[in-house]
Amino acid sequence: YKMNIRNIKKIDENQYVCEYEHPQYGWIPYTALEDGDTDVMVEIFNICKNTKNVEYDIEIIKSGAEWELISSCNQKVAALETKYDKREMSLWNTKRAEAEKILNGGTSTLIETEAKIKDISPLEIARKIVNKNDNYNIKTVEMESIKYNIKKEFANIETLDQVKTIKSKYSKI
């Protein structure tokens, strides 16, 4: 059986997308990986690799790079959420509201009781609560802002060099 391949596009040195004429199903989209787990995949990869003047598939590369960067942001937020479970975050919000009463010159039985137990001033506890809560909120908002900027930048790119530039820019998220 002669293997027929068409519309080959390069993703990177180890991956191509193409259409493969399957003996039973006809022309099907196919992703060929260098370390493919079947003889057919390895053979298709080698045909793609040995084909001259194959262009990069910028759309797939763009979407893959964008997904990778957005996932990195989501992982950062998930790590914060894992660090602070929902019950604890709900308690934070309650404690923060009480802490703000103290910071604004009011009173709070919750904060004053905690201050007596820990033998420190209600004002010191209130400041710590607000700072801890703010750090979580600032990091979460920062990641949402970065994700927005990534999506905005990827919407306007057309070349592989532009993809590399954006990936490099956000690689240290």
Side-chain angles (χ1 to χ4, degrees):
Y1 170 75
K2 180 184 181 300
M3 202 168 281
N4 292 315
I5 308 293
R6 68 182 184 194
N7 297 327
I8 302 169
K9 298 282 185 177
K10 190 174 190 174
I11 305 303
D12 58 38
E13 297 304 317
N14 307 313
Q15 184 176 196
Y16 291 86
V17 291
C18 61
E19 291 178 18
Y20 158 57
E21 189 176 19
H22 190 277
Q24 185 177 353
Y25 303 111
W27 288 103
I28 59 170
Y30 198 86
T31 301
L33 305 173
E34 182 175 34
D35 59 355
D37 55 0
T38 66
D39 291 342
V40 170
M41 185 181 288
V42 171
E43 188 175 347
I44 292 173
F45 176 84
N46 287 328
I47 291 169
C48 293
K49 184 178 179 179
N50 294 322
T51 301
K52 303 241 184 275
N53 301 322
V54 173
E55 293 181 14
Y56 281 94
D57 189 321
I58 190 68
E59 290 307 314
I60 291 178
I61 293 169
K62 251 172 66 168
S63 64
E66 181 178 357
W67 179 86
E68 189 180 308
L69 292 171
I70 296 291
S71 291
S72 180
C73 291
N74 290 339
Q75 287 169 359
K76 298 274 189 220
V77 172
L80 286 172
E81 289 171 352
T82 301
K83 186 176 178 184
Y84 310 114
D85 68 28
K86 300 244 184 272
R87 195 180 73 235
E88 185 179 11
M89 289 169 62
S90 174
L91 179 60
W92 274 7
N93 290 332
T94 302
K95 286 177 99 175
R96 183 188 175 110
E98 294 297 308
E100 286 177 351
K101 288 180 187 176
I102 297 285
L103 294 174
N104 290 323
T107 61
S108 163
T109 306
L110 178 72
I111 302 299
E112 291 163 3
T113 302
E114 190 174 330
K116 284 180 189 171
I117 292 168
K118 293 183 176 176
D119 196 28
I120 56 176
S121 78
L123 197 57
E124 189 176 338
I125 286 183
R127 284 189 188 117
K128 286 181 179 180
I129 289 169
V130 169
N131 287 341
K132 185 176 182 183
N133 190 283
D134 282 349
N135 184 46
Y136 170 81
N137 290 333
I138 287 167
K139 292 258 188 247
T140 303
V141 168
E142 178 187 2
M143 287 300 119
E144 289 303 316
S145 174
I146 289 171
K147 284 171 28 179
Y148 172 81
N149 289 335
I150 288 168
K151 288 176 183 179
K152 191 170 145 188
E153 289 185 51
F154 270 99
N156 299 313
I157 63 174
E158 297 172 1
T159 69
L160 194 57
D161 284 341
Q162 290 172 315
V163 172
K164 288 177 183 174
T165 299
I166 293 171
K167 276 187 76 170
S168 174
K169 176 178 178 181
Y170 291 103
S171 67
K172 293 178 180 52
I173 297 173

